[in-house]
């Protein structure tokens, strides 16, 4: 599909016009949005990450951006004086604790659970602690500031995220590519879910976003999916997620999909209902992300069989999930094989979260999972 490419300053060889001058000017956020970000030491450029190595693998297909917050109970650990995690980023972060106290958010921070469906293995082995996130307390603190900004005022923070998405979309358009947005980078987002969170988006915001970035945004009491409906409809923007949510319910996979998100379910191999949940997800047509402890150079499986204790088995083809992060481009109902990554500071409880790279049926709590390799 041909993409509508606005005149922007991102292509330096274009002639400057009034339109390009407007779009090359510094971004002037709405005053309430700017003030909210400033409370937490954030700017528009601090919100979405585009430098993830896996995002770069798919850069010829789409420009990708990810939003990172602190996962599970990591924010509580970060604001609890004296807490000593297995690594410095998993430990007490004094500056973050002081910020939470200054903003009257200490109690909310200690109660926050960014991943309500995480198992012990998932929390211990979370990729939040891989790469720079596993080495640098500064990265953890930055993710913590975003998390605090979200907790303090989810709808106002959501407006800031919308501005960040529009900014990234304009850059993608300048490259003639769609934008792929993943908001559940390391957590499940606000308590209401990103798909249900309603923004009070003034017409003035929509006009400003159009003038500054060329993005058609729908104002009003809208969700992000609704606000971005025109861009999604023309194929210039994709909202996609991985989620460990159940199929049904207001926060479930179906609800997320109905709200315009391309959702990939995640296998939690150490969950009491691991096989039943995974089989139900693939029968419903969702892709299933499957972390596997593959060695470097080891062939990838070509299929996965899930055999719950109660109910029929299901076999689905497998695809290589490490070629890019663009799950929205994968077929429905497949197993997305992801090679296990290093999560610094993970204890032995993280190991059962991944499937072993063996051809035998692996017993899980409520059935078996069997990886199948080509003969």
């Amino acid at each position: 599909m041909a993409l509508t490419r606005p005149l922007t300053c991102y292509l330096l060889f274009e002639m400057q016009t009034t339109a390009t001058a407007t779009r090359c000017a510094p971004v002037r956020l709405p005053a309430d949005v700017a003030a909210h970000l400033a409370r937490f030491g954030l700017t528009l450029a601090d919100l979405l990450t585009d430098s993830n190595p896996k995002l770069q693998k798919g850069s010829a297909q789409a420009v990708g951006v990810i939003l990172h917050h602190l996962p599970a109970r990591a924010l509580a650990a970060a604001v609890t004086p004296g807490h000593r995690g297995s690594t410095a980023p998993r430990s007490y972060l004094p500056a973050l604790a002081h910020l939470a106290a200054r903003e009257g958010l200490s109690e909310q921070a200690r109660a926050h659970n960014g991943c309500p469906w995480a198992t012990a293995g998932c929390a211990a082995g979370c990729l939040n602690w891989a790469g720079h996130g596993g080495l640098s307390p500064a990265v953890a603190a930055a993710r913590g500031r975003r998390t605090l900004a979200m907790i303090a005022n989810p709808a106002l923070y959501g407006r800031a995220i919308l501005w960040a998405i529009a900014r990234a979309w304009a850059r993608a358009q300048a490259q003639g590519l769609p934008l792929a947005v993943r908001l559940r980078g390391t957590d499940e987002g606000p308590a209401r879910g990103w798909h249900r969170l309603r923004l009070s988006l003034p017409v003035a915001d929509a006009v400003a976003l159009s003038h500054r970035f060329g993005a058609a945004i729908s104002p009003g009491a809208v969700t992000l999916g609704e606000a971005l409906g025109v861009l999604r409809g023309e194929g210039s923007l994709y909202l996609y997620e991985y989620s460990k949510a159940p199929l049904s319910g207001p926060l479930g996979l179906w609800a997320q999909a109905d709200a315009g998100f391309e959702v990939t379910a995640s296998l939690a191999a150490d969950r009491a209902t691991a096989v039943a949940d995974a089989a139900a997800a693939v029968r419903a047509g969702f892709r299933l992300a499957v972390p596997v402890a593959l060695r470097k150079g080891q062939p990838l499986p070509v299929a996965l069989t899930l055999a719950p204790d109660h109910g029929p088995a299901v076999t689905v083809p497998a695809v290589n999930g490490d070629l890019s992060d663009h799950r929205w481009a994968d077929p429905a109902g497949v197993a997305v094989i992801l090679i296990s990554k290093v999560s610094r500071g993970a204890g032995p409880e993280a190991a059962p979260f991944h499937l072993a790279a063996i051809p035998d049926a692996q017993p899980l709590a409520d059935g078996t999972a069997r990886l199948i390799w080509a003969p």
Side-chain angles (χ1 to χ4, degrees):
M1 175 182 295
L3 303 178
T4 302
R5 192 175 94 181
L7 293 173
T8 73
C9 59
Y10 304 122
L11 294 179
L12 299 179
F13 56 80
E14 289 182 325
M15 293 180 61
Q16 285 290 309
T17 65
T18 301
T20 57
T22 298
R23 290 173 188 160
C24 290
V27 177
R28 297 179 64 88
L29 289 171
D32 54 346
V33 173
H36 184 68
L37 293 180
R39 284 174 58 190
F40 299 94
L42 298 169
T43 67
L44 193 65
D46 296 327
L47 298 181
L48 299 176
T49 298
D50 61 6
S51 57
N52 182 300
K54 193 170 177 183
L55 292 180
Q56 299 305 314
K57 290 182 181 179
S59 60
Q61 189 175 19
V63 173
V65 292
I66 298 180
L67 176 61
H68 290 293
H69 294 139
L70 286 182
R73 301 304 304 276
L75 182 61
V79 302
T80 300
H83 175 78
R84 297 189 65 177
S86 55
T87 62
R90 295 182 188 242
S91 303
Y92 173 55
L93 302 174
L96 192 62
H98 295 159
L99 175 61
R102 187 193 77 190
E103 297 299 327
L105 294 169
S106 296
E107 185 175 347
Q108 288 173 268
R110 286 191 292 269
H112 178 68
N113 183 358
C115 305
W117 298 288
T119 59
C122 175
C126 180
L127 292 185
N128 180 73
W129 314 113
H132 291 301
L135 291 171
S136 171
V139 172
R143 294 175 181 181
R145 291 198 302 275
R146 293 187 204 113
T147 311
L148 288 173
M150 177 182 69
I151 293 171
N153 191 325
L156 191 54
Y157 182 68
R159 275 177 65 202
I161 295 299
L162 180 63
W163 275 79
I165 290 172
R167 176 176 179 265
W169 177 86
R171 292 185 170 186
Q173 288 284 280
Q175 299 176 51
L177 293 169
L179 178 72
V181 181
R182 179 178 160 200
L183 298 179
R184 291 178 172 89
T186 40
D187 75 329
E188 290 281 351
R192 288 186 58 80
W194 283 115
H195 60 293
R196 298 175 66 231
L197 180 68
R198 291 210 166 268
L199 316 178
S200 180
L201 189 65
V203 172
D205 274 28
V207 172
L209 288 165
S210 177
H211 285 173
R212 182 61 178 80
F213 301 117
I217 303 297
S218 301
V222 291
T223 64
L224 278 170
E226 291 166 347
L228 297 165
V230 172
L231 305 184
R232 292 191 299 111
E234 70 185 20
S236 67
L237 184 143
Y238 297 94
L239 297 172
Y240 77 106
E241 303 291 1
Y242 298 81
S243 179
K244 293 182 177 66
L247 266 178
S248 58
L251 299 177
L253 302 178
W254 278 323
Q256 294 180 45
D258 288 344
F261 288 77
E262 284 279 350
V263 187
T264 298
S266 294
L267 172 69
D270 58 340
R271 181 182 288 167
T273 54
V275 183
D277 292 347
V282 295
R283 286 196 188 97
F286 289 98
R287 307 169 195 90
L288 179 70
V290 182
V292 181
L294 287 155
R295 299 185 304 276
K296 185 176 182 180
Q298 185 176 2
L300 269 66
V302 297
L304 169 71
T305 295
L306 299 162
D309 288 338
H310 305 286
V314 58
T315 298
V316 294
V319 299
N320 187 346
D322 286 314
L323 295 178
S324 81
D325 198 53
H326 297 317
R327 299 282 72 81
W328 47 272
D330 290 334
V334 298
V336 180
I337 304 300
L338 301 167
I339 299 174
S340 300
K341 308 300 190 298
V342 174
S343 178
R344 290 178 173 83
E349 67 273 22
F353 177 70
H354 309 279
L355 293 184
I358 57 175
D360 306 317
Q362 302 181 46
L364 304 181
D366 66 331
T368 62
R370 179 173 175 258
L371 296 166
I372 302 167
W373 274 263

